[in-house]
Amino acid sequence: MTAPAKALAEKLPESRGGINWFKYASPQTFYPLAGKLIPLFGWPALALALVGLYLSFFVAPTDATQGESYRIIFIHVPAAWMSMIIYLAMAFWCAVGLIFNTRLSFMMSQALAPTGAMWTFIALWTGALWGKPTWGAWWVWDARLTSELILLFLYLGYMALVAAIDDPRRADRAGAVVALVGAINVPIIYFSVKWWNTLHQGASVSVTSAPKMASIMLAGMLVMALAAWAYSVAVVLVRVRALMLERERNTDWVAQLVESSR
Amino acid sequence: MLRILFAVVRRDLLLAWRRRADVFTTLAFFVIVASLFPLGVGPEANLLRTMAPGVLWVSALLATLLSVTRLFAADYADGTLEQMLLSTEPLTLIVLGKVMAYWLVTGLPLVVLAPLLGVQFDLPQGAIGVLSLSLALGTPALSLLGGIGAALTLGLRGGGVLLALLILPLYVPVLIFGAGAVGADAAGLGAGAHLLLLGACFLSALAVSPLATAAALRIAME
C-alpha cells in the first residue's frame, strides 16, 4: 500500500463512523486475520466430523425400509447443501467485487470454487452409491441429479475461464460475469429440469414443517452439516491466503512477511 | 437510439453478405450433424420420430456454439470493436444489434431449414410446425446467451472449447423446453406450456444478456 493510500485508510474510520467494514477488504489486513481464523474453524471441523460420524454410524438406528445403505445421506445431504451454498457465496463475492472493486472479493470467490466443485462431486458420487441399492441404478436422469450435474459444469466453467486468462484483473472480472449469469440461471435450470422429469424424493427436512425422519438421524445429519461448514470455511481461508501471497508477491507487506518468517 | 441499432444490424448483414461462405458453413454443419444420427442409431422410423426433436435441437445448439465465436472476432481483430466501445452510443444497443444480425444470418436459416430435416426424420406435420415455432423462439435465446460466452472468451487461447464449457450449461433450459414442446405435441399434450416457457427464456435472455455481454466486452478490452 502506498503512503497516501495508507493515510487515507487510517482516516476513513473516523469519517465513516461506527465499524469500518472495509478494513479487512485489504489483503494486508485480512491475511493475519485469516491465519487466526483457520484453527478456529479447522479443529471444530474435525471434532464435529468425528461426533457426526459416530452418531451416524453407531447411534442412529438402521432404517426400516432402506437398511444400512441410508447412512450415506449423512455425507450426501451436507455435501449437496454445501455445493449450492458455496455457489451462492461465490456469486455474492463476485457481485461485491464488481460493485466495490475490491481485489480480495475475487480472490474469495476463486478460493471457494474448488471446494464447491468438490462438494458437488461428492454429492453426485455418494448419490450414485445410494441410488444403486435403493433405485437399482447408479444414475437416473432425474431433476435433482441433472441440476446438480449442471452445477458441477458451472463450477468447472468458472474455474476453466479464470485459469485460461493470464491477466488477473481480466480473469477476476470475466469469472465474475460467468458466476453471476450462472447464479441467475441456476433457478431456471432447476425448474426446467424439474418439469422435464422427476423421480428424486422431495426434501425430507424443511424449516416450515416437522422433519420426516427420526430425531437422532436428523441430529447426526445436522452435526455433519456443521462439520462441512467449518471444514469449507477453514479450507477456503487457507486457499485465499495462498492466493493473496501469490497475487501480492511484489508488495512490501509480503516481502516483510517473508523477511520476518525467516 | 434505434438508429444505431439498425446501423449495426445493417453493417453486419452487409458484411455477412459479402462473405456468404461463412453462413453456408454453419447451415451445412447443422444438416450434416442431424443426418449423422440416423446413420449412428439405425433407420428405424419409430425410433427416429421420437429422437427427432432432441437431435435437431442439439444440432442447432452445436451449430450456434460453433459459429458464435465469430460474433466479435473479426471486429476485435481489426480494431472496430475498440471504436464501438469508445462510441457515445450505449454499448448494450450495439451488442444487441450485432446479436440480431448474427441471428438473422445463422439462426433464421436453421428455423427455415428445420422442417426439411423434420421430414427426413418422419415427423408428423403438426410436430414439424411446432418444431419450427420452437426453434424460432429458442434460437434467438441461444444467440443472446452465446454472445456472453463469445465476449468472455474473446482472444483467449483455446477459446472454442472454453466457450462450450461456459455456455452449454446455460443452454439447458432452452433445450429442454424447445425439444419438450415437440415431444409434448407428439404425445398429444399440446405444446402451449412449453412454448410459453421457451418464450419466457427468450425474454429473460433478451433482458440480461446484452448487459452481461457489454460488461464482458469492456472487461476483455480493458
Side-chain angles (χ1 to χ4, degrees):
Chain A
M1 203 188 268
T2 57
K6 207 168 196 167
L8 188 70
E10 278 160 9
K11 234 176 15 202
L12 266 176
E14 289 97 60
S15 57
R16 290 170 44 80
I19 312 162
N20 181 12
W21 293 102
F22 289 95
K23 186 181 172 199
Y24 290 107
S26 137
Q28 191 182 356
T29 46
F30 187 68
Y31 185 86
L33 176 73
K36 284 192 202 105
L37 287 176
I38 288 167
L40 286 185
F41 285 96
W43 291 113
L46 186 67
L48 284 166
L50 288 176
V51 173
L53 286 175
Y54 176 74
L55 280 180
S56 43
F57 279 100
F58 297 103
V59 182
T62 306
D63 189 78
T65 50
Q66 297 176 17
E68 298 293 345
S69 68
Y70 93 95
R71 289 183 199 276
I72 290 168
I73 66 154
F74 291 116
I75 292 169
H76 175 72
V77 174
W81 282 346
M82 290 318 292
S83 69
M84 288 180 273
I85 291 161
I86 289 181
Y87 194 86
L88 283 182
M90 212 174 85
F92 168 77
W93 284 118
C94 285
V96 169
L98 284 181
I99 294 166
F100 294 108
N101 205 6
T102 42
R103 283 164 301 157
L104 185 59
S105 318
F106 295 119
M107 295 184 207
M108 273 306 271
S109 61
Q110 278 160 39
L112 281 162
T115 307
M118 182 203 76
W119 285 124
T120 316
F121 184 76
I122 291 181
L124 285 169
W125 190 266
T126 53
L129 292 180
W130 180 81
K132 185 66 186 169
T134 316
W135 293 336
W138 296 109
W139 180 264
V140 286
W141 288 98
D142 148 74
R144 288 204 179 185
L145 277 75
T146 314
S147 39
E148 189 76 7
L149 183 67
I150 294 165
L151 189 65
L152 182 65
F153 293 156
L154 288 175
Y155 274 120
L156 293 180
Y158 172 84
M159 289 195 290
L161 181 69
V162 171
I165 306 177
D166 292 329
D167 172 26
R169 194 175 152 78
R170 186 182 167 190
D172 285 349
R173 284 152 186 281
V177 171
V178 169
L180 287 175
V181 171
I184 298 171
N185 221 309
V186 162
I188 302 177
I189 291 172
Y190 178 72
F191 283 109
S192 69
V193 176
K194 188 168 178 170
W195 293 327
W196 170 58
N197 196 356
T198 211
L199 177 68
H200 197 292
Q201 62 192 14
S204 308
V205 185
S206 83
V207 187
T208 48
S209 64
K212 297 183 207 105
M213 58 200 299
S215 54
I216 184 67
M217 293 182 188
L218 184 67
M221 206 162 84
L222 292 181
V223 171
M224 287 301 284
L226 284 177
W229 269 92
Y231 166 82
S232 304
V233 172
V235 164
V236 167
L237 286 176
V238 171
R239 198 175 290 120
V240 84
R241 259 162 70 101
L243 271 172
M244 275 190 273
L245 287 185
E246 194 187 339
R247 288 275 187 93
E248 310 267 306
R249 60 184 176 275
N250 295 324
T251 58
D252 289 344
W253 72 269
V254 175
Q256 279 164 16
L257 200 75
V258 174
E259 205 61 42
S260 61
S261 65
R262 249 179 212 158
Chain B
M1 289 261 278
L2 282 180
R3 277 221 339 257
I4 180 75
L5 188 70
F6 290 124
V8 173
V9 172
R10 197 175 153 273
R11 167 183 174 271
D12 275 23
L13 286 181
L14 198 65
L15 281 174
W17 181 250
R18 297 272 158 80
R19 302 204 51 169
R20 286 177 290 256
D22 284 357
V23 181
F24 176 75
T25 340
T26 314
L27 208 56
F29 176 82
F30 176 60
V31 175
I32 289 173
V33 168
S35 315
L36 284 180
F37 278 90
L39 302 179
V41 298
E44 213 262 309
N46 268 328
L47 185 66
L48 287 184
R49 221 175 288 135
T50 46
M51 271 180 28
V55 166
L56 292 178
W57 259 97
V58 171
S59 308
L61 218 107
L62 293 177
T64 311
L65 190 69
L66 207 69
S67 56
V68 84
T69 41
R70 286 204 304 266
L71 184 51
F72 301 110
D75 286 347
Y76 177 65
D78 66 8
T80 319
L81 196 59
E82 254 167 25
Q83 300 305 317
M84 287 175 171
L85 259 73
L86 291 173
S87 134
T88 50
E89 303 291 338
L91 183 59
T92 321
L93 270 186
I94 299 178
V95 164
L96 189 63
K98 283 193 75 69
V99 173
M100 270 169 72
Y102 167 76
W103 179 77
L104 287 173
V105 169
T106 57
L108 194 59
L110 297 193
V111 178
V112 175
L113 204 68
L116 201 63
L117 290 171
V119 172
Q120 251 191 344
F121 279 82
D122 198 27
L123 275 180
Q125 224 157 42
I128 288 182
V130 175
L131 177 72
S132 305
L133 198 59
S134 74
L135 279 170
L137 273 174
T139 44
L142 296 183
S143 303
L144 284 162
L145 290 172
I148 305 177
L152 283 170
T153 55
L154 201 57
L156 293 186
R157 282 168 282 110
V161 187
L162 196 57
L163 182 74
L165 198 56
L166 287 180
I167 61 174
L168 283 181
L170 305 182
Y171 279 176
V172 167
V174 181
L175 172 67
I176 287 177
F177 295 133
V182 189
D185 183 74
L189 294 170
H194 283 90
L195 289 176
L196 287 175
L197 285 167
L198 196 60
C201 283
F202 166 48
L203 289 178
S204 36
L206 187 64
V208 175
S209 52
L211 290 172
T213 311
L217 282 178
R218 287 198 194 283
I219 292 164
M221 302 293 290
E222 222 168 42

Short mmCIF file of all heavy atoms in Angstrom, two decimals, chain B residues 2 15 18 34 47 50 56 66-67 76 78 86 100 104 116 130 135 137 139 141 145 161 178 203 207:
data_model
loop_
_atom_site.label_atom_id
_atom_site.label_comp_id
_atom_site.label_asym_id
_atom_site.label_seq_id
_atom_site.Cartn_x
_atom_site.Cartn_y
_atom_site.Cartn_z
N LEU B 2 -32.57 4.03 -31.77
CA LEU B 2 -32.85 2.93 -32.69
C LEU B 2 -31.97 3.01 -33.93
O LEU B 2 -31.68 2.01 -34.56
CB LEU B 2 -34.32 2.94 -33.10
CG LEU B 2 -35.28 2.36 -32.06
CD1 LEU B 2 -36.71 2.42 -32.55
CD2 LEU B 2 -34.90 0.91 -31.73
N LEU B 15 -21.80 -7.19 -44.15
CA LEU B 15 -20.53 -7.93 -44.04
C LEU B 15 -20.77 -9.42 -44.29
O LEU B 15 -19.98 -10.09 -44.97
CB LEU B 15 -19.92 -7.73 -42.65
CG LEU B 15 -19.19 -6.42 -42.43
CD1 LEU B 15 -18.78 -6.29 -40.97
CD2 LEU B 15 -17.97 -6.35 -43.33
N ARG B 18 -21.25 -10.16 -47.92
CA ARG B 18 -20.00 -10.15 -48.68
C ARG B 18 -19.21 -11.44 -48.48
O ARG B 18 -18.38 -11.80 -49.30
CB ARG B 18 -19.14 -8.95 -48.24
CG ARG B 18 -19.77 -7.61 -48.51
CD ARG B 18 -19.43 -7.11 -49.91
NE ARG B 18 -20.39 -6.13 -50.36
CZ ARG B 18 -20.37 -4.84 -50.00
NH1 ARG B 18 -19.45 -4.40 -49.20
NH2 ARG B 18 -21.28 -4.02 -50.45
N ALA B 34 -27.23 -33.43 -38.00
CA ALA B 34 -28.55 -34.05 -37.87
C ALA B 34 -28.64 -35.32 -38.70
O ALA B 34 -29.30 -36.28 -38.31
CB ALA B 34 -29.63 -33.06 -38.29
N LEU B 47 -38.18 -45.05 -33.89
CA LEU B 47 -37.08 -44.55 -33.06
C LEU B 47 -36.70 -43.14 -33.51
O LEU B 47 -36.56 -42.22 -32.69
CB LEU B 47 -35.88 -45.48 -33.20
CG LEU B 47 -34.68 -45.18 -32.31
CD1 LEU B 47 -35.05 -45.40 -30.87
CD2 LEU B 47 -33.51 -46.05 -32.69
N THR B 50 -39.18 -40.42 -32.42
CA THR B 50 -39.09 -39.98 -31.01
C THR B 50 -37.80 -39.20 -30.76
O THR B 50 -37.77 -38.31 -29.92
CB THR B 50 -39.12 -41.17 -30.04
OG1 THR B 50 -38.25 -42.16 -30.53
CG2 THR B 50 -40.51 -41.73 -29.88
N LEU B 56 -32.52 -32.64 -33.46
CA LEU B 56 -32.49 -31.39 -34.21
C LEU B 56 -32.12 -30.23 -33.30
O LEU B 56 -31.38 -29.33 -33.68
CB LEU B 56 -33.84 -31.14 -34.88
CG LEU B 56 -34.15 -32.15 -36.01
CD1 LEU B 56 -35.52 -31.90 -36.60
CD2 LEU B 56 -33.08 -32.04 -37.09
N LEU B 66 -20.68 -23.33 -32.57
CA LEU B 66 -19.56 -23.30 -33.49
C LEU B 66 -19.39 -21.92 -34.12
O LEU B 66 -18.28 -21.46 -34.34
CB LEU B 66 -19.81 -24.34 -34.58
CG LEU B 66 -18.57 -24.89 -35.22
CD1 LEU B 66 -17.82 -25.74 -34.23
CD2 LEU B 66 -18.97 -25.72 -36.43
N SER B 67 -20.53 -21.27 -34.40
CA SER B 67 -20.43 -20.02 -35.17
C SER B 67 -20.35 -18.79 -34.28
O SER B 67 -19.93 -17.73 -34.72
CB SER B 67 -21.63 -19.90 -36.10
OG SER B 67 -22.82 -19.98 -35.36
N TYR B 76 -12.86 -7.52 -33.34
CA TYR B 76 -11.77 -7.45 -32.37
C TYR B 76 -10.44 -7.38 -33.09
O TYR B 76 -9.57 -6.59 -32.74
CB TYR B 76 -11.85 -8.69 -31.48
CG TYR B 76 -10.76 -8.83 -30.46
CD1 TYR B 76 -10.64 -7.91 -29.42
CD2 TYR B 76 -9.88 -9.91 -30.50
CE1 TYR B 76 -9.65 -8.06 -28.48
CE2 TYR B 76 -8.89 -10.05 -29.55
CZ TYR B 76 -8.78 -9.13 -28.55
OH TYR B 76 -7.81 -9.26 -27.60
N ASP B 78 -9.71 -6.32 -36.18
CA ASP B 78 -9.37 -5.12 -36.97
C ASP B 78 -9.60 -3.81 -36.19
O ASP B 78 -9.52 -2.73 -36.77
CB ASP B 78 -10.13 -5.12 -38.30
CG ASP B 78 -11.62 -4.97 -38.13
OD1 ASP B 78 -12.05 -4.72 -36.98
OD2 ASP B 78 -12.35 -5.11 -39.11
N LEU B 86 -15.64 2.87 -27.58
CA LEU B 86 -15.39 4.29 -27.33
C LEU B 86 -16.58 5.15 -27.73
O LEU B 86 -16.68 6.31 -27.32
CB LEU B 86 -14.16 4.74 -28.13
CG LEU B 86 -12.82 4.18 -27.66
CD1 LEU B 86 -11.73 4.57 -28.64
CD2 LEU B 86 -12.50 4.70 -26.28
N MET B 100 -28.60 -9.46 -33.11
CA MET B 100 -29.75 -9.55 -34.02
C MET B 100 -29.29 -9.94 -35.42
O MET B 100 -29.85 -10.84 -36.05
CB MET B 100 -30.49 -8.21 -34.08
CG MET B 100 -31.60 -8.07 -33.05
SD MET B 100 -32.20 -6.37 -32.96
CE MET B 100 -33.11 -6.25 -34.49
N LEU B 104 -30.11 -13.35 -37.54
CA LEU B 104 -30.69 -13.33 -38.88
C LEU B 104 -29.85 -14.15 -39.85
O LEU B 104 -30.36 -14.78 -40.77
CB LEU B 104 -30.81 -11.89 -39.40
CG LEU B 104 -31.91 -11.05 -38.74
CD1 LEU B 104 -31.81 -9.60 -39.20
CD2 LEU B 104 -33.27 -11.61 -39.09
N LEU B 116 -37.50 -29.34 -43.23
CA LEU B 116 -36.97 -30.30 -44.20
C LEU B 116 -36.33 -31.48 -43.48
O LEU B 116 -36.56 -32.64 -43.82
CB LEU B 116 -35.94 -29.58 -45.06
CG LEU B 116 -35.63 -30.22 -46.41
CD1 LEU B 116 -36.86 -30.21 -47.28
CD2 LEU B 116 -34.50 -29.48 -47.08
N VAL B 130 -44.67 -27.27 -34.92
CA VAL B 130 -44.23 -26.93 -33.56
C VAL B 130 -42.72 -26.81 -33.49
O VAL B 130 -42.19 -25.92 -32.83
CB VAL B 130 -44.75 -27.98 -32.54
CG1 VAL B 130 -44.21 -27.70 -31.15
CG2 VAL B 130 -46.26 -27.99 -32.52
N LEU B 135 -38.04 -23.56 -32.58
CA LEU B 135 -36.72 -23.07 -32.99
C LEU B 135 -36.74 -21.56 -33.20
O LEU B 135 -35.79 -20.86 -32.85
CB LEU B 135 -36.27 -23.77 -34.27
CG LEU B 135 -35.66 -25.15 -34.11
CD1 LEU B 135 -35.48 -25.82 -35.46
CD2 LEU B 135 -34.33 -25.08 -33.39
N LEU B 137 -38.49 -19.45 -31.59
CA LEU B 137 -38.46 -18.79 -30.28
C LEU B 137 -37.13 -19.03 -29.56
O LEU B 137 -36.66 -18.18 -28.81
CB LEU B 137 -39.58 -19.34 -29.40
CG LEU B 137 -40.95 -18.69 -29.48
CD1 LEU B 137 -41.93 -19.49 -28.64
CD2 LEU B 137 -40.89 -17.26 -28.98
N THR B 139 -33.90 -20.17 -30.86
CA THR B 139 -32.58 -19.80 -31.39
C THR B 139 -32.18 -18.36 -31.06
O THR B 139 -30.99 -18.13 -30.82
CB THR B 139 -32.48 -20.06 -32.92
OG1 THR B 139 -33.66 -19.59 -33.53
CG2 THR B 139 -32.30 -21.53 -33.21
N ALA B 141 -32.69 -16.94 -28.25
CA ALA B 141 -32.15 -17.06 -26.89
C ALA B 141 -30.75 -17.67 -26.94
O ALA B 141 -29.85 -17.23 -26.21
CB ALA B 141 -33.07 -17.92 -26.04
N LEU B 145 -27.46 -15.74 -25.44
CA LEU B 145 -26.60 -16.32 -24.40
C LEU B 145 -25.20 -16.59 -24.95
O LEU B 145 -24.20 -16.39 -24.25
CB LEU B 145 -27.22 -17.61 -23.88
CG LEU B 145 -28.49 -17.45 -23.04
CD1 LEU B 145 -29.09 -18.80 -22.73
CD2 LEU B 145 -28.17 -16.72 -21.74
N VAL B 161 -13.22 -24.33 -27.04
CA VAL B 161 -13.59 -25.37 -26.08
C VAL B 161 -14.10 -24.74 -24.79
O VAL B 161 -15.09 -25.19 -24.18
CB VAL B 161 -12.38 -26.27 -25.77
CG1 VAL B 161 -12.78 -27.44 -24.93
CG2 VAL B 161 -11.74 -26.74 -27.05
N GLY B 178 -37.51 -26.43 -25.66
CA GLY B 178 -37.61 -26.49 -27.12
C GLY B 178 -37.92 -27.88 -27.61
O GLY B 178 -38.89 -28.10 -28.34
N LEU B 203 -37.22 -14.07 -23.48
CA LEU B 203 -37.36 -12.70 -22.98
C LEU B 203 -36.37 -12.42 -21.86
O LEU B 203 -35.78 -11.32 -21.80
CB LEU B 203 -38.79 -12.45 -22.49
CG LEU B 203 -39.83 -12.36 -23.62
CD1 LEU B 203 -41.22 -12.16 -23.05
CD2 LEU B 203 -39.48 -11.23 -24.57
N ALA B 207 -33.38 -9.66 -21.79
CA ALA B 207 -33.21 -8.62 -20.76
C ALA B 207 -31.80 -8.64 -20.19
O ALA B 207 -31.23 -7.58 -19.93
CB ALA B 207 -34.23 -8.82 -19.65
#
